[in-house]
């Protein structure tokens, strides 16, 4: 589906989420690449593609290599903004999602 769904309870109509369109970004794309892709998709009205890109951005932001026995904190503000953008998208507020993406990209 090219429409965002199953993000928040208000936009969940089924226990089974539709398959979202894949991103054209490669395996080595980072969170900022996915955020830029999400923003472009939102501007174009492709909310399903935007949702997929936001989910990938959040995953990439959380996925990192840490030497065994060491702790490396996650930039929670960056991850929180991505998560908040997903929730805004789930609430149908694409404009606010874009604002949150812009904030995440500027941090």
């Amino acid at each position: 589906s090219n429409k965002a769904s199953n993000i928040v309870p208000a936009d969940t109509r089924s226990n089974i989420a539709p398959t979202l369109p894949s991103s054209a970004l490669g395996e080595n794309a980072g969170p900022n690449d996915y955020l830029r892709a999400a923003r472009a998709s939102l501007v174009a009205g492709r909310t399903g593609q935007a949702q997929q890109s936001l989910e990938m951005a959040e995953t990439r932001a959380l996925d990192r290599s840490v030497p065994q026995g060491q702790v490396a904190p996650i930039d929670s503000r960056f991850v929180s903004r991505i998560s908040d953008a997903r929730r805004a998208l789930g609430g149908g507020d694409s404009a606010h999602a874009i604002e949150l993406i812009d904030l995440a990209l500027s941090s």
Side-chain angles (χ1 to χ4, degrees):
S1 172
N2 198 29
K3 297 199 185 288
S5 66
N6 290 45
I7 300 172
V8 296
D11 78 334
T12 301
R13 291 165 191 78
S14 170
N15 290 333
I16 302 170
T19 302
L20 297 170
S22 303
S23 173
L25 297 174
E27 289 287 318
N28 295 322
N32 286 349
D33 299 320
Y34 281 107
L35 286 173
R36 285 189 283 276
R39 189 185 196 292
S41 295
L42 284 172
V43 169
R46 296 185 309 265
T47 58
Q49 194 171 41
Q51 178 184 349
Q52 176 68 15
S53 293
L54 284 170
E55 289 174 0
M56 289 301 299
E58 190 170 13
T59 299
R60 297 295 171 140
L62 293 170
D63 184 29
R64 69 212 193 289
S65 179
V66 178
Q68 186 174 1
Q70 291 187 1
V71 176
I74 294 172
D75 179 358
S76 61
R77 181 175 41 194
F78 181 68
V79 174
S80 292
R81 286 181 175 155
I82 297 170
S83 181
D84 290 345
R86 278 192 315 101
R87 281 193 293 280
L89 179 59
D93 193 348
S94 293
H96 188 56
I98 290 171
E99 290 172 15
L100 291 163
I101 290 169
D102 289 342
L103 282 172
L105 285 169
S106 69
S107 59

